[in-house]
Amino acid sequence: MSPRPSDHPEIERYLQHLGSSDPGRARTSREALIALGAPALEALVAALEEKEDSLRWEAVKTLRDMGDPRAAPAFIRLLLEDPNPGIRWLAAEGLLRLDVDGLRAVLQALVHHSDSPWLREGARHVLKALAARGHATELLPVLEAMDGLEPALTVPPAAQRALDSLFGHGSTA
């Protein structure tokens, strides 16, 4: 694991154990990092760049459980780039947990990156769940565009309309 500067030396120790093959040790480290909250956020986001799937898995799980809106860009990046479908699913779950902040991040990402099948897959999960929570009027057109023949072309305007409707005109990344 590459070194990450930290004002909290215990964060480094917890990160070293986060990707452990010992599930109890990984869980204890995850819980400790969640308890530390904001000070651990930057180090956890940096851990998402590691090659080890187990460490990225635990880092994204920890970020999901923290529920900090500042993790939204990292979740979007995982949806766009991470080759591991399980990690992408956890990133989508993290966005879902962020509720409105996650919704805004997903819609903004769809405006700019709708050509990504991985992003659309994760976004579909988030949008369906949030539509069921009361945003159906704004989100169903985006979901319909995602199911269309040319989602890379039809999703951006639908996502922008949803952004404008939910967050005001001019809402974009």
Side-chain angles (χ1 to χ4, degrees):
M1 176 175 3
S2 25
R4 287 179 284 279
S6 172
D7 293 336
H8 297 274
E10 67 270 20
I11 291 175
E12 292 306 315
R13 189 182 44 159
Y14 294 136
L15 283 172
Q16 289 174 355
H17 299 298
L18 194 59
S20 172
S21 59
D22 175 356
R25 182 177 249 183
R27 184 183 62 252
T28 300
S29 294
R30 186 172 59 252
E31 290 168 355
L33 289 163
I34 291 167
L36 284 170
L41 185 77
E42 185 179 332
L44 285 163
V45 169
L48 298 174
E49 302 296 325
E50 296 294 332
K51 290 182 178 159
E52 297 172 48
D53 276 358
S54 62
L55 180 57
R56 288 195 331 278
W57 173 276
E58 290 295 339
V60 73
K61 205 153 93 170
T62 305
L63 286 167
R64 177 201 64 190
D65 292 348
M66 286 174 81
D68 190 318
R70 293 173 296 170
F75 292 143
I76 294 295
R77 190 176 67 253
L78 289 171
L79 288 180
L80 286 166
E81 300 172 1
D82 200 291
N84 184 315
I87 290 172
R88 292 194 311 269
W89 181 262
L90 283 171
E93 287 287 310
L95 288 161
L96 185 54
R97 180 159 186 177
L98 296 178
D99 197 62
V100 174
D101 292 314
L103 174 58
R104 182 190 305 257
V106 166
L107 291 171
Q108 289 172 339
L110 286 171
V111 168
H112 299 287
H113 304 287
S114 65
D115 57 333
S116 168
W118 288 349
L119 173 66
R120 289 194 314 264
E121 177 185 41
R124 180 182 320 281
H125 172 61
V126 174
L127 296 179
K128 278 185 172 182
L130 291 177
R133 291 183 190 171
H135 299 292
T137 303
E138 298 86 2
L139 300 182
L140 287 179
V142 181
L143 287 163
E144 289 170 3
M146 291 172 80
D147 291 334
L149 294 176
E150 294 288 338
L153 299 175
T154 59
V155 169
Q160 186 62 58
R161 283 190 297 276
L163 271 169
D164 292 344
S165 176
L166 290 164
F167 303 104
H169 281 298
S171 293
T172 188

